[in-house]
Amino acid sequence: MADEKVLNVAVVSAEKALWSGQAKSLVAKTPEGDIGILPNHEPVLALLVESPLRLEGIDGTRMAIAVHGGFFSVAGNDVNVIAEVAELAEDIDIERAQAALARAQAAGADDPDEISAIRRAETRIQTASIAKGVR
């Protein structure tokens, strides 16, 4: 019988499977705002917006993953996150992300590609900061 006190989470992107395991909770951002998922949550299918995905492991460790679009589903205690692009916080080079943000801001926010570049860089910086305990 499955443990009803934990979530079984899988996070994948178009390129690869990033993480799978058990978690106490997950917080994701949808177009309507943040949604927290705990064990035995009602079924959900939702779009993801560019933001950090936050997980709390069953041992209390916290993890952050930069998610750049996609969707997630909750069925029973199974959570599947399908991201267009995703990065584990520990894989993010924060100095590179800050340089990318500076370049994107200097280019302006006149078209969708420039706005997207700014959001991607901001999400990477925010995700890396969460992982380091900085808010």
Side-chain angles (χ1 to χ4, degrees), residues 23 26-27 38-39 55-56 101 105 110-111 117-118:
L26 174 141
V27 177
L38 296 171
L55 295 159
E56 181 179 357
L101 177 60
Q105 289 173 330
D110 300 333
D111 69 50
I118 291 170

Side-chain angles (χ1 to χ4, degrees), residues 50-124:
E50 200 133 18
S51 66
L53 176 74
R54 299 183 310 268
L55 295 159
E56 181 179 357
I58 57 174
D59 61 357
T61 58
R62 296 183 187 273
M63 167 186 273
I65 301 172
V67 174
H68 308 284
F71 67 93
F72 76 100
S73 67
V74 178
N77 284 329
D78 295 328
V79 180
N80 291 296
V81 178
I82 314 298
E84 291 174 22
V85 177
E87 305 163 272
L88 297 173
E90 58 264 21
D91 294 340
I92 296 171
D93 180 338
I94 198 161
E95 290 177 3
R96 183 174 171 212
Q98 289 169 333
L101 177 60
R103 281 192 309 276
Q105 289 173 330
D110 300 333
D111 69 50
D113 288 340
E114 292 168 349
I115 293 168
S116 181
I118 291 170
R119 286 189 185 141
R120 271 192 315 274
E122 289 173 340
T123 296
R124 288 181 177 119

